[in-house]
Amino acid sequence: MRRTLWRRLGLAVAALLLVLVVVVAVGLSAVSVPDTSRFDADLGAIRALAVSTGAPLPVELRSQRVGRASGVPHALVVAGDGFGSDTFEFYAYQLVYADGRTVLVDVGSDAQTQQAQFPGSEFDAAAYARIQEALRRADATVVTHEHFDHCAGIAHSAYLDEVAGKVHLTDEQLNGPDALDAGFTAELRARFTPLKYERMHLLRPGVVLIKAPGHTPGTQLVYVRLADGRELLLVGDVAWHQDNIRLPRMHPRLTNWLGGEDAQAMAHQLRWLHDLQRTAPELHQVVAHDGARMQDHQRRGLILDGLR
Ligand SMILES: [Zn+2]
């Protein structure tokens, strides 16, 4: 009798362990990136729209690091690429026109929200103050998506009354399930006029927004053409690391599950970005949290350090 009980117990534990091993193995594997992309974006059309008004294009793209979180497991960033750890850097971007007008893309998070989400992470209070001043001066502000590390600095801005009319959050961003974590309560959301567009939108001369739902419902790419002809594409969190595009390989299913992502949509976006590196190498892709890549962009003078 007792022997039967132990045997059953042993079998139950073995079955549970097996299920656990399978869940971990599947969770750490990635949805594969397809050979051809169904992501609906046409670089020729984007380029044409960027210069369609004939108005002067921005003369520089600048970035400001506001925070840094280390110890992010690399296995959750690039599937099957080892078990080291990554550092995530948090940036705001600023486009500057010759007449002094500016456009902000992403503003980072306020200290409190960042510490709640990444306890013990580094936060640069002076950089945050500079970003808030840039937010006040900006002619227009947009975000790549509705996650706190890109837009909580808007929801928690001390200057919200002053800037709300110049902040263009899309319908999907304002109503996405993660907007609340960034501080966009229903009351706050009502203070913004949602930006509505299909597929792509000319925000300002040389600045085109391209819908790319997947990482979040409100994710968009930001194409930039500078007056000297240089081109950049801010891809937000479609990739967390340059290797997601280079290989191309996504982060694992576990990250998709935890983040509520549409992995299939992201896989097609990664294929599109990967192919663009070959067909349009002159278009510089900017991944949101990859500090090493950002330093490379700065060394080459593509992105200038610090905001105006
Ligand atoms: Zn992010």
Side-chain angles (χ1 to χ4, degrees):
M1 183 71 180
R2 178 162 289 180
R3 194 177 289 166
T4 312
L5 182 68
W6 280 118
R7 193 181 297 146
R8 280 183 184 161
L9 212 64
L11 278 173
V13 169
L16 265 175
L17 279 174
L18 187 67
V19 168
L20 196 67
V21 166
V22 170
V23 167
V24 168
V26 172
L28 289 179
S29 69
V31 167
S32 59
V33 172
D35 290 337
T36 44
S37 177
R38 286 201 309 265
F39 178 55
D40 186 18
D42 170 4
L43 183 59
I46 294 165
R47 282 173 161 160
L49 183 59
V51 299
S52 57
T53 65
L57 303 177
V59 291
E60 54 189 36
L61 174 60
R62 313 188 69 91
S63 73
Q64 175 72 62
R65 190 176 66 203
V66 63
R68 175 190 270 163
S70 48
V72 180
H74 189 60
L76 294 182
V77 176
V78 183
D81 197 38
F83 287 89
S85 73
D86 285 335
T87 297
F88 269 37
E89 311 224 323
F90 305 119
Y91 295 96
Y93 300 90
Q94 183 188 49
L95 287 151
V96 184
Y97 290 80
D99 64 2
R101 283 179 304 132
T102 57
V103 169
L104 277 191
V105 180
D106 289 351
V107 302
S109 174
D110 61 302
Q112 209 180 350
T113 308
Q114 188 186 305
Q115 289 308 328
Q117 300 280 347
F118 281 106
S121 57
E122 287 174 41
F123 184 81
D124 184 339
Y128 182 70
R130 280 197 292 279
I131 293 169
Q132 287 295 311
E133 284 306 319
L135 177 62
R136 297 178 77 182
R137 284 197 309 274
D139 189 44
T141 295
V142 291
V143 299
T144 55
H145 63 292
E146 62 274 28
H147 277 158
F148 80 94
D149 50 319
H150 302 258
C151 66
I154 295 168
H156 296 278
S157 176
Y159 310 110
L160 193 66
D161 287 339
E162 192 182 323
V163 304
K166 301 184 296 176
V167 172
H168 306 288
L169 300 172
T170 67
D171 235 356
E172 295 87 346
Q173 289 171 345
L174 282 168
N175 297 305
D178 299 318
L180 190 60
D181 283 340
F184 290 93
T185 58
E187 188 189 42
L188 205 64
R189 291 202 300 268
R191 294 167 70 178
F192 294 90
T193 306
L195 172 65
K196 296 183 186 192
Y197 71 93
E198 301 286 326
R199 292 177 60 200
M200 58 182 188
H201 171 71
L202 180 68
L203 178 73
R204 288 291 184 276
V207 187
V208 175
L209 311 177
I210 304 131
K211 285 249 166 87
H215 174 60
T216 66
T219 294
Q220 57 188 356
L221 313 179
V222 183
Y223 168 88
V224 173
R225 186 181 179 93
L226 298 177
D228 62 10
R230 287 183 298 175
E231 299 172 285
L232 299 105
L233 185 66
L234 308 183
V235 308
D237 285 6
V238 172
W240 276 342
H241 192 285
Q242 190 55 38
D243 282 353
N244 296 128
I245 297 171
R246 188 180 61 83
L247 291 170
R249 196 185 307 148
M250 212 191 308
H251 46 226
R253 285 181 171 85
L254 187 58
T255 309
N256 300 145
W257 299 336
L258 292 172
E261 295 176 323
D262 180 343
Q264 284 300 331
M266 289 183 77
H268 283 275
Q269 290 157 6
L270 286 177
R271 168 53 62 186
W272 188 73
L273 293 170
H274 175 85
D275 288 351
L276 273 187
Q277 290 197 319
R278 184 171 41 81
T279 59
E282 67 281 13
L283 174 61
H284 303 280
Q285 299 180 13
V286 182
V287 174
H289 301 302
D290 189 334
R293 182 77 174 168
M294 175 60 78
Q295 278 174 17
D296 192 44
H297 289 317
Q298 290 180 344
R299 257 196 307 275
R300 297 160 71 187
L302 276 168
I303 299 180
L304 305 176
D305 190 18
L307 302 186
R308 280 200 187 277

